[in-house]
């Protein structure tokens, strides 16, 4: 017979720390996929331990203890035991599939010299990728998503194509891998490299899983990859005839559901019953429950019968789907997308988990600065806060005279400079320095120093859940003025921590209203054309009142993620001046980055984190040509 063999412990172990009290193993037939034999080893017995602790005579009982050796020695002992039991029944093993994690094969052959061993294909692939992961500590390119998995697939493509062929054919196929990864496809035309699609369309060929779709370039990495290839070439005789222990892995999973590793069942016969039930489920499906009940003279139960049929039908359908080519491609695509998403999140977050990270002195590992995520409208409760300001002039460095927001916030601020005649004529505000009195339309109003007014505004926003500021022409006027004054009084950090972002109704209006329908996009005109409100313009409180009506009735439902701006938009955008001057990025790309609050410092961090700049830009929906991307990277490295 040709069988597959694998064992498992009931306790998790890592490195050299394998000290489980119990272990099990199974032999599964290649043709039927059913468990032919299983075995269990246990170091303890609950009944024996209880009586020994009390110095009592141990009574006659069915003892669960049948092993005194180490946990690691359980697996080869169980393999020999099961092989002997099968031979005694007249079913000798000719070929056995197994991994290379233990000395099972050498010990089996000492007892059964005629047995042939086939290596497990899954463990072969894991062995290759584990070597690549070790190299990733040395080469950043291997840390990028999908690179290691792609190189591992190239190895397995070469190995799988040479199954049942001569070892020399496999050695030639393995020699193709490294040149292929480095852009040399001269050997890919051979019949041993049908997995390479370069020959089908050389002009359109791109490496989908390598950075920027280009071949690898690092010479030292090339040397290390050749060393991995040579190690596999030395094993070519074993790799040309691989087996599989996938059925055993599936059986081990079934056992883990009935005997979880976080609980101990090995000190009694309970574990034997649980593993026996796993064998029945593997061989008979879930209908084994009905058969067991019948065998012991119990009613099978209609509910049990129906549930077993339902689960069996579901599993049959799932199995048919899983083995289809379409399902395999879907799983691979899903795996690629998941790893890419995970890598993108890690770039945003910085290093959060690493073995002995607290002790590691590498700057890259201790860097915890987070890169802002793509700014989108909150899924949870948030509040639009309509606001407006009146100022001493038209410039962004003007002093604030009045801030109004929502339904009940309105505060006048004492200016530190003269109010320009044009501004006073528009907002009807005047300030008498002799009496420290502010007048609105000739009527005295209560006013405060500007710092107190700003603090009052922050306190008002604190009471609002996730406030999004809404203003007409706020992006070009109100927001820069408010942010400048907040920064001047060292209040910007506090202010920004309580504001989710802002939207500009002027920009949204230009997108959703045709100019031929509204004439122009001034607030007075839009209010007149689209609502029934009348008001005195250029009074912040009145402007907020009518803009609230306009926004609620006509604009709010049209707000998109792209209309939301980070509160630091203008400050961040200034930092891209040199990049814009040298034309490494377009104004649209810089605006999108600044809208999300992503500064050149964040781009540099992304580049230093596993060369993840392109991943970050893709996540922010920004596309750069390869030439511009290279220029930006050079600029960031120079700036650092």
């Amino acid at each position: 017979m040709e069988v597959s063999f694998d064992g498992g412990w009931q306790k998790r172990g890592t490195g050299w720390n394998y000290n489980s009290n119990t272990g099990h193993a199974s032999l599964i037939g290649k043709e039927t996929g059913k468990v032919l034999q299983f075995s269990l080893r246990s170091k303890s017995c609950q009944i024996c331990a209880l009586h020994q602790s009390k110095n009592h005579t141990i009574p006659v009982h069915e003892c669960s203890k049948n092993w005194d050796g180490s946990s690691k020695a359980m697996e080869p002992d169980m393999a020999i035991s099961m092989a002997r039991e099968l031979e005694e029944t007249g079913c000798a093993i000719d070929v056995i599939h197994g991994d290379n994690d233990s000395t099972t094969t050498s010990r089996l052959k000492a007892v059964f010299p005629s047995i042939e061993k086939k290596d497990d294909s899954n463990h072969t692939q894991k062995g290759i990728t584990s070597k690549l992961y070790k190299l990733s500590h040395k080469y950043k390119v291997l840390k990028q998503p999908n690179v290691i998995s792609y190189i591992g697939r190239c190895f397995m493509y070469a190995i799988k194509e040479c199954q049942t062929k001569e070892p020399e054919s496999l050695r030639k196929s393995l020699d193709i891998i490294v040149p292929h990864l480095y852009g040399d496809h001269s050997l890919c035309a051979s019949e041993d490299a049908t997995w390479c699609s370069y020959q089908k369309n050389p002009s359109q060929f791109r490496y989908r899983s390598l950075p920027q779709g280009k071949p690898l370039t690092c010479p030292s990495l090339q040397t290390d990859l050749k060393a991995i290839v040579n190690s596999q070439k030395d094993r070519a005789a074993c790799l040309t005839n691989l087996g599989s222990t996938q059925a055993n892995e599936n059986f081990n999973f079934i056992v883990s559901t009935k005997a979880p590793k976080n609980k101990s069942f090995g000190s009694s016969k309970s574990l034997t019953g649980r593993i026996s039930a796993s064998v029945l489920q593997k061989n008979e499906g879930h209908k084994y429950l009905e058969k067991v009940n019948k065998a012991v003279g119990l009613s099978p139960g209609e509910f049990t019968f129906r549930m077993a049929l339902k689960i069996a039908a579901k599993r049959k359908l799932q199995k048919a789907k899983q083995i289809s080519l379409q399902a395999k491609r879907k799983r691979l695509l899903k795996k690629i997308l998941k790893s890419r998403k995970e890598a993108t999140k890690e770039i945003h977050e910085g290093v959060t988990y690493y073995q002995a990270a607290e002790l590691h002195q590498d700057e890259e590992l201790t860097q915890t600065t987070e890169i802002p995520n793509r700014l989108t409208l909150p899924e949870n409760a948030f509040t639009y806060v309509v606001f407006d300001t009146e100022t001493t002039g038209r410039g962004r460095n003007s002093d604030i005279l009045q801030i109004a927001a929502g339904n009940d916030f309105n505060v006048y601020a004492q200016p530190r400079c003269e109010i320009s005649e044009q501004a006073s004529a528009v907002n009807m505000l005047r300030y008498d320095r002799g009496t420290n009195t502010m007048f609105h339309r000739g009527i005295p109003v209560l006013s405060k120093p500007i710092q107190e007014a700003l603090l009052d505004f922050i306190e008002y926003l604190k009471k609002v859940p996730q406030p999004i500021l809404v203003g007409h022409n706020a992006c070009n006027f109100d927001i820069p003025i408010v942010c400048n004054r907040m920064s001047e009084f060292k209040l910007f950090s506090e202010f920004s921590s309580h504001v989710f972002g802002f939207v500009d109704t002027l920009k949204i209006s230009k997108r959703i209203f045709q100019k031929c329908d509204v004439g122009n996009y001034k607030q007075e005109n839009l209010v007149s054309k689209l609502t029934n409100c009348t008001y005195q313009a250029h009074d912040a409180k009145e402007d907020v009142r009518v803009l609230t009506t306009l926004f609620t009735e006509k604009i709010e439902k049209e707000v998109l993620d792209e209309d939301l701006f980070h509160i630091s938009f203008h400050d961040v955008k200034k930092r891209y001046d040199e990049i814009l001057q040298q034309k490494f990025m377009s104004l649209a790309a810089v605006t999108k980055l600044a809208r999300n609050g992503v500064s050149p410092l964040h781009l540099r961090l992304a580049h230093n984190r596993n060369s993840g700049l392109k991943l970050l830009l893709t996540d922010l929906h920004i596309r750069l040509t390869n030439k511009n991307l290279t220029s930006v990277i050079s600029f960031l490295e120079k700036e650092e």
Side-chain angles (χ1 to χ4, degrees):
M1 289 190 303
E2 187 168 347
V3 300
S4 59
F5 167 82
D6 193 26
W9 290 287
Q10 272 65 55
K11 178 183 175 183
R12 294 186 182 92
T14 55
W16 293 99
N17 187 27
Y18 294 99
N19 57 1
S20 176
N21 285 333
T22 57
H24 71 276
S26 58
L27 285 175
I28 297 180
K30 180 177 180 292
E31 298 298 326
T32 63
K34 295 188 176 184
V35 179
L36 304 176
Q37 195 67 262
F38 76 96
S39 188
L40 170 66
R41 295 289 181 270
S42 176
K43 296 182 182 180
S44 62
C45 174
Q46 202 170 33
I47 296 175
C48 293
L50 175 64
H51 288 281
Q52 284 174 351
S53 66
K54 296 181 178 181
N55 294 322
H56 292 171
T57 302
I58 299 175
V60 177
H61 67 284
E62 194 175 356
C63 187
S64 60
K65 182 177 179 180
N66 61 359
W67 185 251
D68 285 319
S70 69
S71 301
K72 296 176 185 178
M74 290 178 181
E75 191 169 299
D77 183 74
M78 287 187 287
I80 294 170
S81 173
M82 289 188 293
R84 278 179 176 158
E85 289 173 4
L86 283 176
E87 188 178 47
E88 289 172 1
T89 62
C91 300
I93 297 174
D94 293 326
V95 180
I96 188 168
H97 303 185
D99 56 39
N100 298 315
D101 293 343
S102 70
T103 58
T104 300
T105 304
S106 59
R107 292 173 185 266
L108 262 178
K109 286 189 174 182
V111 182
F112 306 98
S114 61
I115 286 182
E116 178 190 346
K117 162 73 185 309
K118 287 186 179 181
D119 288 352
D120 175 45
S121 58
N122 287 339
H123 281 78
T124 299
Q125 184 172 4
K126 288 179 182 177
I128 294 169
T129 53
S130 65
K131 292 179 181 179
L132 294 172
Y133 275 110
K134 287 180 181 178
L135 289 178
S136 68
H137 298 300
K138 184 178 177 183
Y139 304 104
K140 281 187 177 181
V141 67
L142 294 179
K143 292 184 179 180
Q144 297 198 37
N146 308 323
V147 174
I148 287 180
S149 61
Y150 174 68
I151 297 174
R153 289 202 304 275
C154 288
F155 273 91
M156 293 312 296
Y157 290 150
I159 292 171
K160 289 291 180 70
E161 284 198 346
C162 295
Q163 294 299 293
T164 70
K165 293 184 180 180
E166 294 296 321
E168 188 56 37
S169 178
L170 175 58
R171 293 187 184 98
K172 291 179 180 179
S173 184
L174 290 170
D175 282 332
I176 296 170
I177 296 172
V178 176
H180 166 82
L181 294 171
Y182 279 78
D184 180 4
H185 299 280
S186 57
L187 300 175
C188 295
S190 68
E191 60 181 13
D192 294 325
T194 57
W195 49 271
C196 176
S197 59
Y198 175 82
Q199 303 299 333
K200 296 178 182 177
N201 193 348
S203 60
Q204 298 295 323
F205 178 80
R206 289 182 77 255
Y207 296 90
R208 292 185 180 181
S209 298
L210 295 184
Q212 303 177 34
K214 294 182 178 181
L216 301 175
T217 56
C218 179
S220 55
L221 174 58
Q222 187 175 17
T223 303
D224 289 335
L225 289 176
K226 285 181 178 178
I228 297 177
V229 168
N230 291 334
S231 69
Q232 299 305 309
K233 286 168 67 177
D234 294 339
R235 300 180 58 244
C238 299
L239 297 178
T240 51
N241 194 11
L242 291 175
S244 173
T245 61
Q246 191 66 36
N248 301 78
E249 297 286 356
N250 175 252
F251 173 71
N252 289 343
F253 169 74
I254 296 173
V255 172
S256 71
T257 63
K258 300 185 186 300
K261 293 195 174 188
N262 61 344
K263 295 181 180 180
S264 175
F265 301 98
S267 297
S268 68
K269 300 302 288 185
S270 172
L271 184 59
T272 306
R274 291 169 184 271
I275 295 177
S276 299
S278 302
V279 173
L280 286 171
Q281 183 174 318
K282 177 69 176 175
N283 289 354
E284 302 292 332
H286 285 82
K287 291 186 290 184
Y288 83 90
L289 289 170
E290 177 194 359
K291 296 181 179 181
V292 167
N293 286 345
K294 283 182 178 180
V296 297
L298 296 175
S299 170
E302 291 184 8
F303 178 78
T304 302
F305 180 71
R306 287 199 307 271
M307 282 300 297
L309 286 178
K310 185 177 179 180
I311 294 172
K314 184 178 179 181
R315 286 292 304 133
K316 185 177 180 180
L317 186 62
Q318 285 179 340
K319 192 172 182 180
K321 286 183 178 179
Q322 286 173 349
I323 62 176
S324 67
L325 182 61
Q326 184 179 5
K328 289 179 180 178
R329 286 176 175 170
K330 188 176 180 180
R331 286 199 299 271
L332 179 60
L333 178 61
K334 188 176 180 180
K335 185 177 179 181
I336 290 172
L337 292 176
K338 183 180 179 181
S339 62
R340 186 175 297 169
K341 183 178 180 180
E342 189 70 14
T344 303
K345 291 294 182 184
E346 288 177 0
I347 288 167
H348 279 283
E349 296 163 353
V351 175
T352 53
Y353 182 85
Y354 192 87
Q355 189 173 4
E358 288 286 341
L359 306 177
H360 210 294
Q361 299 301 312
D362 193 302
E363 182 181 351
E364 179 186 351
L365 297 178
T366 56
Q367 181 57 263
T368 57
T369 302
E370 290 196 19
I371 299 173
N373 290 306
R374 189 166 67 89
L375 197 61
T376 58
L377 294 170
E379 294 181 1
N380 301 322
F382 66 95
T383 307
Y384 287 115
V385 178
V386 180
F387 84 110
D388 190 37
T389 61
E390 299 299 336
T391 60
T392 57
R394 294 182 177 180
R396 290 185 178 180
N397 288 320
S398 303
D399 262 358
I400 296 174
L401 297 174
Q402 183 186 10
I403 306 176
N407 297 323
D408 54 0
F409 181 80
N410 182 40
V411 62
Y412 292 95
Q414 299 165 1
R416 296 166 298 169
C417 61
E418 295 297 327
I419 305 173
S420 68
E421 293 182 4
Q422 296 91 337
S424 185
V426 171
N427 56 41
M428 306 299 292
L429 289 170
R430 185 173 60 83
Y431 183 67
D432 187 342
R433 295 193 178 279
T435 60
N436 287 335
T437 306
M438 179 170 281
F439 297 88
H440 179 241
R441 298 187 181 277
I443 301 173
V445 292
L446 182 65
S447 61
K448 299 179 178 181
I450 187 168
Q451 185 174 8
E452 288 186 27
L454 294 173
L455 286 169
D456 287 349
F457 188 39
I458 292 173
E459 286 299 318
Y460 172 77
L461 293 174
K462 281 182 181 180
K463 301 173 184 177
V464 181
Q466 295 196 92
I468 296 177
L469 297 178
V470 179
H472 200 76
N473 197 29
C475 184
N476 293 325
F477 186 74
D478 299 275
I479 289 294
I481 288 177
V482 170
C483 290
N484 286 341
R485 298 291 73 77
M486 290 286 184
S487 298
E488 181 182 351
F489 290 101
K490 305 294 187 292
L491 296 174
F492 182 75
S493 179
E494 177 75 5
F495 172 65
S496 61
S497 67
H498 297 291
V499 179
F500 190 84
F502 72 89
V503 296
D504 190 339
T505 53
L506 175 62
K507 293 180 180 293
I508 302 173
S509 299
K510 288 181 178 180
R511 175 170 58 80
I512 64 176
F513 301 130
Q514 296 291 329
K515 191 173 183 179
C516 57
D517 295 332
V518 295
N520 64 64
Y521 296 100
K522 291 182 179 180
Q523 180 173 319
E524 302 98 302
N525 183 63
L526 291 175
V527 169
S528 174
K529 292 286 180 68
L530 302 174
T531 71
N532 296 321
C533 296
T534 56
Y535 75 109
Q536 294 176 342
H538 301 295
D539 173 6
K541 187 176 181 180
E542 281 291 289
D543 285 343
V544 166
R545 180 179 67 82
V546 295
L547 184 58
T548 300
T549 302
L550 175 65
F551 180 75
T552 304
E553 294 180 358
K554 303 294 182 180
I555 298 176
E556 184 174 357
K557 293 181 180 179
E558 304 293 335
V559 178
L560 305 175
D561 290 339
E562 290 71 24
D563 298 319
L564 184 61
F565 286 77
H566 196 279
I567 199 67
S568 301
F569 171 73
H570 292 283
D571 179 54
V572 172
K573 192 176 179 182
K574 286 179 184 177
R575 302 179 193 181
Y576 285 96
D577 286 346
E578 189 172 350
I579 290 178
L580 282 173
Q581 289 172 5
Q582 299 189 31
K583 298 182 178 180
F584 294 153
M585 280 187 180
S586 65
L587 179 60
V590 166
T591 301
K592 192 173 286 189
L593 285 167
R595 185 185 75 78
N596 291 285
V598 178
S599 69
L601 168 65
H602 296 132
L603 298 185
R604 190 183 309 127
L605 286 173
H607 175 59
N608 291 338
R609 293 171 183 170
N610 304 336
S611 303
L613 178 58
K614 188 172 182 179
L615 268 179
L616 175 65
L617 295 176
T618 302
D619 182 51
L620 297 174
H621 298 176
I622 297 172
R623 291 186 178 181
L624 293 183
T625 63
N626 290 334
K627 181 179 178 181
N628 281 358
L629 184 63
T630 304
S631 299
V632 170
I633 290 173
S634 300
F635 173 80
L636 295 173
E637 289 176 345
K638 177 184 174 184
E639 284 295 301
E640 186 173 6

PDB file of all heavy atoms in Angstrom, residues 457-472:
ATOM      1  N   PHE A 457     -14.207  78.570  21.476  1.00  0.00           N
ATOM      2  CA  PHE A 457     -14.551  77.796  20.270  1.00  0.00           C
ATOM      3  C   PHE A 457     -14.138  76.337  20.444  1.00  0.00           C
ATOM      4  O   PHE A 457     -14.887  75.412  20.100  1.00  0.00           O
ATOM      5  CB  PHE A 457     -13.863  78.425  19.058  1.00  0.00           C
ATOM      6  CG  PHE A 457     -14.295  77.839  17.736  1.00  0.00           C
ATOM      7  CD1 PHE A 457     -15.612  77.494  17.504  1.00  0.00           C
ATOM      8  CD2 PHE A 457     -13.363  77.647  16.717  1.00  0.00           C
ATOM      9  CE1 PHE A 457     -16.014  76.963  16.278  1.00  0.00           C
ATOM     10  CE2 PHE A 457     -13.752  77.111  15.497  1.00  0.00           C
ATOM     11  CZ  PHE A 457     -15.083  76.770  15.282  1.00  0.00           C
ATOM     12  N   ILE A 458     -12.946  76.105  21.000  1.00  0.00           N
ATOM     13  CA  ILE A 458     -12.478  74.730  21.236  1.00  0.00           C
ATOM     14  C   ILE A 458     -13.379  74.020  22.242  1.00  0.00           C
ATOM     15  O   ILE A 458     -13.749  72.850  22.054  1.00  0.00           O
ATOM     16  CB  ILE A 458     -11.009  74.741  21.739  1.00  0.00           C
ATOM     17  CG1 ILE A 458     -10.071  75.217  20.629  1.00  0.00           C
ATOM     18  CG2 ILE A 458     -10.595  73.352  22.214  1.00  0.00           C
ATOM     19  CD1 ILE A 458      -8.633  75.420  21.079  1.00  0.00           C
ATOM     20  N   GLU A 459     -13.759  74.720  23.325  1.00  0.00           N
ATOM     21  CA  GLU A 459     -14.640  74.119  24.334  1.00  0.00           C
ATOM     22  C   GLU A 459     -15.993  73.748  23.725  1.00  0.00           C
ATOM     23  O   GLU A 459     -16.591  72.720  24.074  1.00  0.00           O
ATOM     24  CB  GLU A 459     -14.848  75.092  25.504  1.00  0.00           C
ATOM     25  CG  GLU A 459     -13.645  75.229  26.418  1.00  0.00           C
ATOM     26  CD  GLU A 459     -13.257  73.918  27.067  1.00  0.00           C
ATOM     27  OE1 GLU A 459     -14.159  73.170  27.509  1.00  0.00           O
ATOM     28  OE2 GLU A 459     -12.053  73.615  27.112  1.00  0.00           O
ATOM     29  N   TYR A 460     -16.479  74.574  22.795  1.00  0.00           N
ATOM     30  CA  TYR A 460     -17.752  74.272  22.133  1.00  0.00           C
ATOM     31  C   TYR A 460     -17.620  73.002  21.286  1.00  0.00           C
ATOM     32  O   TYR A 460     -18.502  72.128  21.304  1.00  0.00           O
ATOM     33  CB  TYR A 460     -18.155  75.460  21.252  1.00  0.00           C
ATOM     34  CG  TYR A 460     -19.356  75.188  20.379  1.00  0.00           C
ATOM     35  CD1 TYR A 460     -20.644  75.207  20.912  1.00  0.00           C
ATOM     36  CD2 TYR A 460     -19.201  74.901  19.029  1.00  0.00           C
ATOM     37  CE1 TYR A 460     -21.750  74.945  20.114  1.00  0.00           C
ATOM     38  CE2 TYR A 460     -20.299  74.643  18.221  1.00  0.00           C
ATOM     39  CZ  TYR A 460     -21.576  74.664  18.775  1.00  0.00           C
ATOM     40  OH  TYR A 460     -22.668  74.403  17.975  1.00  0.00           O
ATOM     41  N   LEU A 461     -16.505  72.863  20.568  1.00  0.00           N
ATOM     42  CA  LEU A 461     -16.309  71.696  19.702  1.00  0.00           C
ATOM     43  C   LEU A 461     -16.101  70.413  20.508  1.00  0.00           C
ATOM     44  O   LEU A 461     -16.427  69.324  20.041  1.00  0.00           O
ATOM     45  CB  LEU A 461     -15.106  71.932  18.779  1.00  0.00           C
ATOM     46  CG  LEU A 461     -15.279  73.036  17.733  1.00  0.00           C
ATOM     47  CD1 LEU A 461     -13.965  73.265  16.981  1.00  0.00           C
ATOM     48  CD2 LEU A 461     -16.392  72.689  16.747  1.00  0.00           C
ATOM     49  N   LYS A 462     -15.566  70.540  21.719  1.00  0.00           N
ATOM     50  CA  LYS A 462     -15.348  69.358  22.564  1.00  0.00           C
ATOM     51  C   LYS A 462     -16.658  68.630  22.878  1.00  0.00           C
ATOM     52  O   LYS A 462     -16.682  67.420  23.071  1.00  0.00           O
ATOM     53  CB  LYS A 462     -14.682  69.762  23.889  1.00  0.00           C
ATOM     54  CG  LYS A 462     -13.192  70.006  23.798  1.00  0.00           C
ATOM     55  CD  LYS A 462     -12.667  70.338  25.186  1.00  0.00           C
ATOM     56  CE  LYS A 462     -11.170  70.616  25.163  1.00  0.00           C
ATOM     57  NZ  LYS A 462     -10.656  70.930  26.520  1.00  0.00           N
ATOM     58  N   LYS A 463     -17.750  69.386  22.942  1.00  0.00           N
ATOM     59  CA  LYS A 463     -19.039  68.818  23.319  1.00  0.00           C
ATOM     60  C   LYS A 463     -19.742  68.140  22.138  1.00  0.00           C
ATOM     61  O   LYS A 463     -20.784  67.518  22.325  1.00  0.00           O
ATOM     62  CB  LYS A 463     -19.944  69.924  23.883  1.00  0.00           C
ATOM     63  CG  LYS A 463     -19.355  70.627  25.103  1.00  0.00           C
ATOM     64  CD  LYS A 463     -20.217  71.814  25.497  1.00  0.00           C
ATOM     65  CE  LYS A 463     -19.579  72.588  26.649  1.00  0.00           C
ATOM     66  NZ  LYS A 463     -20.373  73.793  26.997  1.00  0.00           N
ATOM     67  N   VAL A 464     -19.156  68.261  20.948  1.00  0.00           N
ATOM     68  CA  VAL A 464     -19.794  67.723  19.740  1.00  0.00           C
ATOM     69  C   VAL A 464     -19.089  66.435  19.336  1.00  0.00           C
ATOM     70  O   VAL A 464     -17.862  66.393  19.253  1.00  0.00           O
ATOM     71  CB  VAL A 464     -19.712  68.747  18.583  1.00  0.00           C
ATOM     72  CG1 VAL A 464     -20.389  68.188  17.333  1.00  0.00           C
ATOM     73  CG2 VAL A 464     -20.355  70.062  19.000  1.00  0.00           C
ATOM     74  N   PRO A 465     -19.824  65.335  19.058  1.00  0.00           N
ATOM     75  CA  PRO A 465     -19.188  64.074  18.648  1.00  0.00           C
ATOM     76  C   PRO A 465     -18.619  64.157  17.223  1.00  0.00           C
ATOM     77  O   PRO A 465     -19.354  64.408  16.272  1.00  0.00           O
ATOM     78  CB  PRO A 465     -20.332  63.050  18.723  1.00  0.00           C
ATOM     79  CG  PRO A 465     -21.590  63.853  18.598  1.00  0.00           C
ATOM     80  CD  PRO A 465     -21.292  65.196  19.205  1.00  0.00           C
ATOM     81  N   GLN A 466     -17.310  63.961  17.097  1.00  0.00           N
ATOM     82  CA  GLN A 466     -16.608  63.958  15.817  1.00  0.00           C
ATOM     83  C   GLN A 466     -17.065  65.104  14.895  1.00  0.00           C
ATOM     84  O   GLN A 466     -17.657  64.873  13.846  1.00  0.00           O
ATOM     85  CB  GLN A 466     -16.789  62.624  15.096  1.00  0.00           C
ATOM     86  CG  GLN A 466     -16.158  61.449  15.814  1.00  0.00           C
ATOM     87  CD  GLN A 466     -16.010  60.232  14.925  1.00  0.00           C
ATOM     88  OE1 GLN A 466     -14.982  60.038  14.286  1.00  0.00           O
ATOM     89  NE2 GLN A 466     -17.029  59.408  14.876  1.00  0.00           N
ATOM     90  N   PRO A 467     -16.805  66.370  15.295  1.00  0.00           N
ATOM     91  CA  PRO A 467     -17.297  67.495  14.483  1.00  0.00           C
ATOM     92  C   PRO A 467     -16.550  67.625  13.148  1.00  0.00           C
ATOM     93  O   PRO A 467     -15.334  67.487  13.080  1.00  0.00           O
ATOM     94  CB  PRO A 467     -17.019  68.703  15.379  1.00  0.00           C
ATOM     95  CG  PRO A 467     -15.877  68.283  16.245  1.00  0.00           C
ATOM     96  CD  PRO A 467     -16.044  66.806  16.465  1.00  0.00           C
ATOM     97  N   ILE A 468     -17.326  67.852  12.093  1.00  0.00           N
ATOM     98  CA  ILE A 468     -16.775  68.190  10.774  1.00  0.00           C
ATOM     99  C   ILE A 468     -17.210  69.613  10.475  1.00  0.00           C
ATOM    100  O   ILE A 468     -18.414  69.890  10.356  1.00  0.00           O
ATOM    101  CB  ILE A 468     -17.274  67.222   9.691  1.00  0.00           C
ATOM    102  CG1 ILE A 468     -16.769  65.802   9.966  1.00  0.00           C
ATOM    103  CG2 ILE A 468     -16.827  67.684   8.313  1.00  0.00           C
ATOM    104  CD1 ILE A 468     -17.264  64.766   8.980  1.00  0.00           C
ATOM    105  N   LEU A 469     -16.256  70.526  10.381  1.00  0.00           N
ATOM    106  CA  LEU A 469     -16.573  71.935  10.149  1.00  0.00           C
ATOM    107  C   LEU A 469     -17.064  72.133   8.725  1.00  0.00           C
ATOM    108  O   LEU A 469     -16.529  71.546   7.774  1.00  0.00           O
ATOM    109  CB  LEU A 469     -15.346  72.803  10.414  1.00  0.00           C
ATOM    110  CG  LEU A 469     -14.808  72.790  11.860  1.00  0.00           C
ATOM    111  CD1 LEU A 469     -13.559  73.662  11.969  1.00  0.00           C
ATOM    112  CD2 LEU A 469     -15.871  73.256  12.839  1.00  0.00           C
ATOM    113  N   VAL A 470     -18.087  72.974   8.582  1.00  0.00           N
ATOM    114  CA  VAL A 470     -18.673  73.273   7.278  1.00  0.00           C
ATOM    115  C   VAL A 470     -18.664  74.779   7.085  1.00  0.00           C
ATOM    116  O   VAL A 470     -19.179  75.524   7.935  1.00  0.00           O
ATOM    117  CB  VAL A 470     -20.123  72.743   7.181  1.00  0.00           C
ATOM    118  CG1 VAL A 470     -20.734  73.090   5.825  1.00  0.00           C
ATOM    119  CG2 VAL A 470     -20.176  71.247   7.426  1.00  0.00           C
ATOM    120  N   GLY A 471     -18.088  75.242   6.001  1.00  0.00           N
ATOM    121  CA  GLY A 471     -18.056  76.670   5.724  1.00  0.00           C
ATOM    122  C   GLY A 471     -18.048  76.944   4.229  1.00  0.00           C
ATOM    123  O   GLY A 471     -17.621  76.105   3.433  1.00  0.00           O
ATOM    124  N   HIS A 472     -18.545  78.128   3.853  1.00  0.00           N
ATOM    125  CA  HIS A 472     -18.558  78.506   2.434  1.00  0.00           C
ATOM    126  C   HIS A 472     -17.265  79.254   2.127  1.00  0.00           C
ATOM    127  O   HIS A 472     -16.965  80.273   2.757  1.00  0.00           O
ATOM    128  CB  HIS A 472     -19.776  79.390   2.136  1.00  0.00           C
ATOM    129  CG  HIS A 472     -20.120  79.424   0.680  1.00  0.00           C
ATOM    130  ND1 HIS A 472     -20.746  78.388   0.033  1.00  0.00           N
ATOM    131  CD2 HIS A 472     -19.897  80.382  -0.263  1.00  0.00           C
ATOM    132  CE1 HIS A 472     -20.928  78.691  -1.241  1.00  0.00           C
ATOM    133  NE2 HIS A 472     -20.412  79.900  -1.437  1.00  0.00           N
TER     134      HIS A 472
END
